[in-house]
Amino acid sequence: MTTLDRATVGPDRDGRTARTLPRLVARRGAPRVRREDTLPAIAVAEALGADVVEVDVRRTADGVPVLLHDETLGRLWGDPRRVAEVSWCDVARLGNGLDRIPRLDAVLERLDGCRAALLLRVVDPADALVASRTVSASTWGTRVAWAGTPDALAAVRAALPDADTWMPWESLAVPTAADTADLGPSTLVLDDVFLTSDTVAAAHGLGLAVAVRTVDEPEPVRWAARLGADLVATDDVASARAVLAGGERDGWALHDREPGEEEVATRAQALAHRIAHEVIAFTREHPVGQVSSKRAPGDLVTDVDRAVERLVRARVRAAFPTHGFTGEEYGDAPGDRYRWYLDPVDGTTNLVNGLPWTSMSLCLTRGGRPLVGVVADPWRGEVLEARRGRGAVLRDTPLHLDDTPRALAGAIVSAEFGGHGAWVGLGALVEALAERSCAVRVMGSSTLTIAQVAAGRGVGGCVPAFAPVDHGAAVLLVHEAGGVVLTRSGPVDGFPTEGEPFLVAHPGAADELHAVWSAALGSR
């Protein structure tokens, strides 16, 4: 299955089926103890019992393969140049003592005769070719496997037909023989956000091992072991090994007790708050790079959408490994009665065109009932958050919509298109509101359209079809701020039916606005 033997342990203390104890992959050596991708970090990882030591390989200007994760020397070594533009002699002078950038051949020599295998991660095909030549010419007996980007692994396979390759898998869909035919890997490497029991079963059915990365916290380590992962890549080998030893000794239950809903909601609210601020910083700091279409030419997705979703999935997985998750870009991941819904960038067309009106929506539900929701507005730097039965806040200020009557004259009602076209009835709504001297705004983020009503900005917002990914958090915000959520049949508690048109409103304007909106929908 792989260069590594799989270690099967016996039945747990409850007599259940024997399971395979995952092997540990030390990412970049032991970066929490010594500087990453150096000989001391590799020595510590090997001493801590890592089964595989993963290192990153780049080439110097004169074609020497060295250990370095980044394209430049700035982060770790204080030199802003790209390593590919610097000679080996100059690279060798950086650092001090043993904390220096090592050559790949020195690493092969260091691990010769050790139980740990070496996993070489390459992202550039040119780097991969240089590293392949060094491995091919080496007389040391170190076991070597390869991971990295598809293009780099293809270059390795062309240079070393018998190379042990570990193929990246960035999907919740299960792998098939057709997916792996060209590369012929021994192992699938996937982020923990893509690890499911179905993926593990499918990979094993193809004769492939499964390596999950990056897993540092105790609960996700246990969870990966329970799902049958063959290898766990971690920055903290000692802690991960202690968790696995504890699971082998005490059984593999994730908790001594199942936490109650109140405890889960408290932890989830704190987590969602942290995630929202992290997403604000990430979205503001990362310019849009790749842009592509999904279901239609105007249905855009960017590298920022995907990166934010992966970031959020990873944070949730680390804290709540058994929870289900549904995201806009990567779809459904199975889980227990709790499920998170995420739209990483609501308003992608705005983002692509430089219009600062986008948001992130993250909502936790239990059995379909919303518990916690946050909406992050990167461009105002605002986080609106709500917890069922505990109210809604903006910057720690409670949001409260009283029932004082509000006239539509001089007010604003926000609306959103269905996809990229106006829904039948929108024109009639605009005309009816104009007759009442009420303005309509279509801003391009349905999450913010709803959430702004909770914040008291406008008297209403209407969307042609409810989806928990897009609207779950904002609907909870409106409820908890004292607003009204309505479908054509009247107010609803919780979520509207998926796909159903809905309206949110300030309670003082809800009756009149609902009548106008319902009449417009009836004009179809």
Side-chain angles (χ1 to χ4, degrees):
M1 178 174 286
T2 176
T3 54
L4 298 175
D5 297 327
R6 299 175 68 198
T8 301
V9 300
D12 63 21
R13 64 179 182 178
D14 298 319
R16 291 187 290 265
T17 306
R19 65 178 68 250
T20 299
L21 191 66
R23 299 290 186 139
L24 293 178
V25 180
R27 295 182 67 249
R28 307 178 199 171
R32 297 190 178 185
V33 180
R34 298 298 297 263
R35 190 177 302 195
E36 67 182 49
D37 281 337
T38 61
L39 289 176
I42 292 169
V44 171
E46 200 269 336
L48 290 173
D51 301 286
V52 183
V53 178
E54 177 187 347
V55 296
D56 306 277
V57 181
R58 301 273 184 178
R59 73 189 189 285
T60 63
D62 44 353
V64 175
V66 296
L67 268 58
L68 187 71
H69 176 269
D70 301 348
E71 190 176 5
T72 73
L73 297 159
R75 177 173 63 91
L76 288 174
W77 304 100
D79 188 325
R81 292 176 294 175
R82 296 174 63 247
V83 66
E85 299 171 348
V86 183
S87 70
W88 161 243
C89 288
D90 287 342
V91 169
R93 295 189 182 100
L94 299 173
N96 55 77
L98 294 176
D99 284 327
R100 297 181 183 273
I101 298 175
R103 296 167 57 116
L104 176 57
D105 51 11
V107 178
L108 293 169
E109 178 183 3
R110 171 63 184 80
L111 289 178
D112 180 44
C114 297
R115 63 182 294 274
L118 182 64
L119 178 63
L120 303 180
R121 184 175 181 274
V122 284
V123 297
D124 186 312
D127 294 335
L129 288 175
V130 170
S132 297
R133 288 195 289 268
T134 297
V135 170
S136 178
S138 174
T139 59
W140 305 108
T142 303
R143 294 176 296 160
V144 174
W146 301 81
T149 63
D151 289 345
L153 292 178
V156 171
R157 176 64 75 210
L160 302 173
D162 296 327
D164 178 9
T165 53
W166 294 20
M167 175 178 162
W169 188 252
E170 298 181 353
S171 173
L172 287 166
V174 299
T176 67
D179 296 320
T180 61
D182 291 341
L183 187 60
S186 70
T187 305
L188 286 188
V189 181
L190 52 151
D191 289 346
D192 55 356
V193 300
F194 299 125
L195 181 64
T196 70
S197 56
D198 289 341
T199 297
V200 172
H204 288 172
L206 295 171
L208 304 176
V210 173
V212 56
R213 54 183 296 166
T214 302
V215 185
D216 295 326
E217 299 299 323
E219 296 299 343
V221 171
R222 294 189 188 98
W223 169 78
R226 286 166 61 92
L227 287 191
D230 303 284
L231 301 111
V232 168
T234 180
D235 291 336
D236 191 347
V237 171
S239 295
R241 183 165 295 285
V243 170
L244 294 177
E248 185 178 5
R249 180 185 67 248
D250 302 326
W252 294 93
L254 287 178
H255 300 280
D256 293 332
R257 61 175 182 82
E258 182 178 354
E261 181 179 301
E262 188 73 11
E263 180 181 341
V264 170
T266 298
R267 292 175 54 208
Q269 184 176 13
L271 174 66
H273 179 87
R274 293 194 302 271
I275 287 173
H277 284 283
E278 191 171 1
V279 168
I280 285 174
F282 184 94
T283 305
R284 291 175 66 95
E285 294 169 6
H286 286 72
V288 175
Q290 297 178 345
V291 181
S292 57
S293 299
K294 295 189 289 185
R295 294 172 288 271
D299 186 12
L300 304 181
V301 61
T302 73
D303 49 351
V304 175
D305 295 72
R306 295 192 179 99
V308 170
E309 179 155 333
R310 291 179 66 159
L311 183 153
V312 177
R313 283 180 180 264
R315 297 290 184 268
V316 171
R317 180 70 82 196
F320 300 102
T322 64
H323 286 192
F325 200 106
T326 300
E328 174 72 21
E329 307 309 332
Y330 292 105
D332 292 330
D336 55 25
R337 72 193 77 181
Y338 292 97
R339 176 161 294 273
W340 295 77
Y341 291 93
L342 169 71
D343 190 346
V345 179
D346 186 64
T348 299
T349 301
N350 287 348
L351 183 69
V352 170
N353 287 278
L355 182 65
W357 188 264
T358 71
S359 59
M360 179 210 72
S361 172
L362 180 62
C363 181
L364 172 64
T365 66
R366 184 178 188 269
R369 184 169 59 99
L371 295 180
V372 172
V374 297
V375 171
D377 179 346
W379 314 111
R380 294 186 185 211
E382 291 184 345
V383 175
L384 299 93
E385 52 190 296
R387 178 169 163 188
R388 186 178 181 88
R390 298 293 187 90
V393 298
L394 169 59
R395 292 189 175 132
D396 298 324
T397 299
L399 300 176
H400 178 64
L401 303 176
D402 60 37
D403 57 1
T404 302
R406 294 287 299 272
L408 293 183
I412 288 177
V413 172
S414 296
E416 292 296 334
F417 294 136
H420 290 270
W423 39 274
V424 177
L426 178 57
L429 176 66
V430 173
E431 291 178 4
L433 290 174
E435 292 173 358
R436 291 164 173 79
S437 300
C438 181
V440 175
R441 299 288 184 263
V442 180
M443 299 297 290
S445 170
S446 58
T447 296
L448 282 182
T449 285
I450 303 164
Q452 295 301 318
V453 176
R457 299 162 180 164
V459 298
C462 52
V463 176
F466 174 78
V469 163
D470 301 295
H471 313 126
V475 163
L476 180 60
L477 275 164
V478 172
H479 278 306
E480 291 301 316
V484 185
V485 180
L486 306 107
T487 63
R488 279 179 284 190
S489 59
V492 297
D493 180 28
F495 287 161
T497 302
E498 193 160 351
E500 184 177 17
F502 73 102
L503 167 76
V504 299
H506 187 288
D511 290 343
E512 183 179 4
L513 185 55
H514 183 256
V516 173
W517 175 74
S518 298
L521 290 178
S523 68
R524 292 189 291 181

